[in-house]
Amino acid sequence: MRLLLVEDTDELAQSVLRFLRAEGHAVDHAPDAATAEEAMALADYSCVILDLGLPDRSGLEVLRARRRAGDRTPVLIATARDQISDRIAGLDAGADDYVVKPFDLRELSARIRAHARRGQGLPETRVALAGLEVDRAAGRVWQRGVEIRLTSREWALFDALLGARGRVLPKGALEEVLAGFDTLIEGNAVEVYVSRLRAKLGPSVIETRRGMGYVIP
Amino acid sequence: MTSAPRPWSLSGRLTTRVLLLVIGGWLASVTLAILALEHEMSEMFDTELQALVETTILSLDATATNPIPRLVGVAAGDGERILRILSPDRDSPTAPWPALSGDGFHDPPGWRVLHRSAEGVVIEAAHATDYRREETLEAAAALLVLLMPLVALLIWGLRHAVRLVVAPVASLATTVAGRASDDFSPLDATNLPQELRPLAASLDGYLARIESLRRSERDFIANAAHELRTPLASLRNRLDLSADPDAQAALRTVDALARRVDRLLQLSRLESGLGLGRGPTDLVYILRLLLDELRAKARHPIRFDDSDLTHLMVAADADALAILLRNMIENALEHGTGEVQILLTPQGGFAIENPAPSGPLPEARFTRGVGSGGSGLGLSIIESLARAMDLSLHHTDGDGRVRFETRFPLADQV
């Protein structure tokens, strides 16, 4: 994969570069915002690792400018700013992920793999399904680039059906999934959650097999 | 020993004092008026006695026969206004007043008598002093009764005026009391009277100073975070990339150090007034962000039950909330021995439960729990933050399970 590392602390940058190159990636390094913008405008990266506290400008400004210009390259913010409001600001500016320094290099690599697109395709950890992108490890679903928020029970049911993709799951098995949530399960709970999932994800994602159960084909 | 001063209010004090002054002044003038009235009335009564005596003399003059001594009430059945005609040859009766001599007014006890000798008789016309006093009091009472509605009007008008005058003070007090604890904007002084402006100005000065102190403290902490984390990141990576087994061992020390730095930064943020803000913040979103981050490194699985909520807006500062929740979850992961369960309810209830060996929880700062990789700061951060955020934290420990519960105040529905 072709990656861009935007980091002004040279020592830190060198160690990250060494690790990612050893993993087989082609990694460019930009020590400031100006270089980073230039590189992002010229090359097509699979993922950008972006520091926020850059000497010339904030990394957030770089990110916002690229997103305004229509650049959808996955961006992973790696910063010392650890407050949740910083994280929310980063994600709102268009970042795909956010890690706080000091980070585990293997975790950084895993997160890059989770977001980096291979060519025009999906990241390694995502599956495509009836117009949806699903990241089972992160428990997240997107529809045309927009994340759809599923509640914990909705996700549990969806994840169970995804795990058995192509195989019909009887209602009893799905009731067991819901029963894991420690609450009283009503007789029609599975039907209720399936219809909620259909409302959120589209009517054809989950199919009903009469007398047998449900399936994601 | 000094006792606490009694609470008092400007409007109460002003109303009472003005009322006392005005009513006192009125009473004094009414008293003076009554004294003047009494004097005038007594002159009037004396004139009446004189007229009565003169009329009697005239009528006696007109009759040829000798007058018969007698005693008559001026009005029928009247024992208070009396006309007495006496023969000078006989002894004067001694009741209701003793014998008098000499023409003119006399004041025997209980009476005012006009004594006159004419036409061979003695004529005495008298008023009981009780009768006179009663008449005077009736006149004075009429005066007082007429004043009553005026006093009532005064009280109403005074209350109204005082309330109007004191209104800016009351509204200033309400504004100051109703401010959010993290609101440092200057007060609106446009409608304040001259007397209150210096107060508002110095309050604004204090607010601005607190705000700038708080901001510089925050900036300092943010800088410190950057200055500490960046070299830690470099160090961690270098150790991580080294093939030396000692480096791998040192990695764990660096991680523990990083966590300690984290918590010290959180603690200083807490002491610089984090937790005073009241949101609104989406609790579900914050929990999802935290879980996304923590799950990657978690020793135990985490199960999150959001009770089918996609959003839950609570009245709490996002950063404070995140630090509180992160410490609660990390605490459960560090001290627990199995799956961490997190439950959210639509009413803002939050519970975190995990299996754990029973035993006392580490309470104080820097005391380390059994098997804990942290520095024991977590619980002290949780407790201090809960206090700053006005949350009550319940902790139950039994059957090998530890449970922390709290309830977040929901943000006002907009």
Side-chain angles (χ1 to χ4, degrees):
Chain A
M1 278 193 271
R2 181 142 192 218
L3 307 175
L4 175 66
L5 173 69
V6 187
E7 170 62 61
D8 63 321
T9 310
D10 194 56
E11 196 190 349
L12 179 59
Q14 292 312 321
S15 63
V16 176
L17 285 172
R18 217 178 105 197
F19 176 78
L20 291 176
R21 281 174 184 154
E23 283 215 321
H25 302 298
V27 195
D28 294 341
H29 174 217
D32 53 50
T35 321
E37 281 201 311
E38 217 171 291
M40 282 176 84
L42 283 173
D44 189 19
Y45 293 104
S46 302
C47 185
V48 176
I49 301 119
L50 180 68
D51 184 20
L52 294 184
L54 297 171
D56 48 349
R57 267 191 321 137
S58 161
L60 271 187
E61 285 175 41
V62 176
L63 176 57
R64 286 202 190 98
R66 290 310 300 165
R67 290 296 187 241
R68 262 200 307 278
D71 185 349
R72 304 301 320 159
T73 309
V75 170
L76 196 154
I77 291 176
T79 176
R81 296 186 197 163
D82 61 333
Q83 297 278 85
I84 203 95
S85 48
D86 298 321
R87 177 182 296 258
I88 291 171
L91 296 177
D92 285 351
D96 297 83
D97 210 341
Y98 194 101
V99 294
V100 176
K101 294 175 188 171
F103 44 78
D104 185 321
L105 287 168
R106 268 157 289 275
E107 192 196 329
L108 179 74
S109 165
R111 286 187 183 260
I112 291 170
R113 274 201 308 281
H115 294 285
R117 286 167 186 272
R118 295 178 169 278
Q120 291 301 305
L122 288 178
E124 208 172 275
T125 55
R126 295 192 194 172
V127 290
L129 171 88
L132 303 168
E133 273 179 43
V134 186
D135 186 336
R136 283 190 69 194
R140 298 168 74 183
V141 185
W142 294 262
Q143 192 167 42
R144 284 181 290 278
V146 181
E147 183 169 1
I148 300 171
R149 281 211 208 173
L150 294 185
T151 69
S152 45
R153 287 187 183 79
E154 288 163 3
W155 172 259
L157 204 72
F158 186 56
D159 191 50
L161 285 165
L162 264 181
R165 198 170 171 185
R167 202 149 48 78
V168 178
L169 282 186
K171 191 178 153 188
L174 294 174
E175 273 172 348
E176 242 167 66
V177 170
L178 292 177
F181 282 97
D182 241 341
T183 42
L184 289 171
I185 299 295
E186 288 175 24
N188 62 344
V190 171
E191 285 87 342
V192 169
Y193 285 103
V194 166
S195 71
R196 281 195 198 182
L197 282 169
R198 282 176 178 153
K200 283 188 176 181
L201 307 175
S204 58
V205 176
I206 301 169
E207 290 180 4
T208 309
R209 295 288 153 82
R210 285 208 186 282
M212 294 167 71
Y214 299 90
V215 64
I216 293 181
Chain B
M1 203 182 84
T2 53
S3 58
R6 284 242 313 270
W8 60 277
S9 79
L10 276 179
S11 57
R13 206 171 255 198
L14 198 60
T15 312
T16 329
R17 301 234 163 140
V18 171
L19 260 182
L20 283 178
L21 212 64
V22 169
I23 291 180
W26 273 2
L27 284 179
S29 43
V30 165
T31 311
L32 283 177
I34 288 173
L35 286 178
L37 190 76
E38 202 175 18
H39 179 72
E40 289 300 314
M41 279 184 78
S42 119
E43 269 181 7
M44 246 169 57
F45 283 130
D46 285 354
T47 314
E48 190 205 336
L49 287 181
Q50 221 147 13
L52 182 63
V53 168
E54 275 158 16
T55 321
T56 312
I57 292 171
L58 285 177
S59 69
L60 286 178
D61 209 9
T63 45
T65 52
N66 271 346
I68 306 150
R70 67 182 87 176
L71 184 146
V72 287
V74 174
D78 192 346
E80 294 179 322
R81 298 154 75 204
I82 288 170
L83 177 67
R84 198 152 76 161
I85 301 169
L86 302 169
S87 163
D89 315 330
R90 294 191 220 159
D91 285 343
S92 299
T94 53
W97 58 85
L100 303 165
S101 59
D103 283 359
F105 285 100
H106 297 268
D107 291 295
W111 295 90
R112 172 82 170 165
V113 187
L114 178 59
H115 180 93
R116 192 82 173 267
S117 308
E119 303 293 324
V121 284
V122 172
I123 300 166
E124 283 179 343
H127 285 155
T129 44
D130 281 351
Y131 160 73
R132 284 192 168 193
R133 194 177 302 125
E134 199 176 298
E135 290 297 307
T136 312
L137 282 180
E138 267 173 34
L143 209 61
L144 282 172
V145 164
L146 282 175
L147 276 180
M148 282 314 200
L150 281 175
V151 170
L153 203 68
L154 175 76
I155 292 176
W156 175 82
L158 204 58
R159 283 219 170 143
H160 197 67
V162 166
R163 196 176 307 137
L164 221 64
V165 169
V166 173
V169 182
S171 94
L172 178 70
T174 321
T175 323
V176 172
R179 281 164 83 89
S181 41
D182 62 338
D183 179 4
F184 295 106
S185 61
L187 295 164
D188 177 18
T190 44
N191 281 323
L192 285 184
Q194 290 298 337
E195 292 89 336
L196 287 180
R197 286 191 183 220
L199 184 69
S202 46
L203 199 60
D204 281 349
Y206 281 124
L207 285 173
R209 267 167 54 196
I210 295 172
E211 163 70 349
S212 95
L213 278 174
R214 217 168 74 119
R215 194 179 306 124
S216 56
E217 201 172 352
R218 294 235 164 134
D219 289 348
F220 174 78
I221 297 167
N223 266 328
H226 185 262
E227 296 299 327
L228 290 167
R229 285 174 190 283
T230 308
L232 269 176
S234 306
L235 178 62
R236 193 191 190 287
N237 290 354
R238 287 185 69 146
L239 290 171
D240 201 6
L241 293 174
S242 164
D244 189 338
D246 274 356
Q248 293 303 314
L251 208 53
R252 279 193 294 281
T253 316
V254 171
D255 284 341
L257 181 61
R259 198 147 61 237
R260 194 170 295 201
V261 164
D262 245 10
R263 288 186 173 171
L264 284 172
L265 288 170
Q266 290 171 355
L267 212 58
S268 27
R269 282 198 178 102
L270 178 64
E271 271 150 21
S272 78
L274 186 91
L276 295 179
R278 290 292 177 264
T281 301
D282 186 352
L283 182 55
V284 177
Y285 184 46
I286 299 282
L287 268 167
R288 285 191 180 277
L289 288 179
L290 283 174
L291 291 177
D292 180 45
E293 188 191 341
L294 290 172
R295 271 193 180 119
K297 296 171 247 186
R299 301 201 291 195
H300 307 295
I302 305 173
R303 189 215 293 273
F304 172 40
D305 181 359
D306 56 18
S307 293
D308 278 326
L309 298 160
T310 44
H311 302 272
L312 185 65
M313 302 309 286
V314 297
D317 177 72
D319 291 325
L321 193 61
I323 292 178
L324 178 74
L325 296 172
R326 170 191 289 275
N327 277 287
M328 288 174 92
I329 299 168
E330 280 180 346
N331 187 64
L333 287 169
E334 267 174 26
H335 299 279
T337 53
E339 185 185 65
V340 175
Q341 289 177 1
I342 298 170
L343 173 69
L344 205 61
T345 71
Q347 292 76 37
F350 173 85
I352 179 162
E353 190 179 321
N354 57 279
S358 51
L361 281 158
E363 295 285 347
R365 266 182 210 189
F366 296 109
T367 57
R368 198 193 283 245
V370 184
S372 159
S375 50
L377 281 170
L379 271 179
S380 109
I381 291 172
I382 292 171
E383 278 162 11
S384 311
L385 255 182
R387 253 197 310 282
M389 295 166 81
D390 280 333
L391 300 172
S392 57
L393 213 57
H394 302 285
H395 163 237
T396 45
D397 189 353
D399 291 336
R401 295 187 77 76
V402 176
R403 184 179 170 93
F404 275 99
E405 257 175 299
T406 188
R407 181 186 290 269
F408 294 102
L410 295 182
D412 295 332
Q413 301 299 321
V414 182

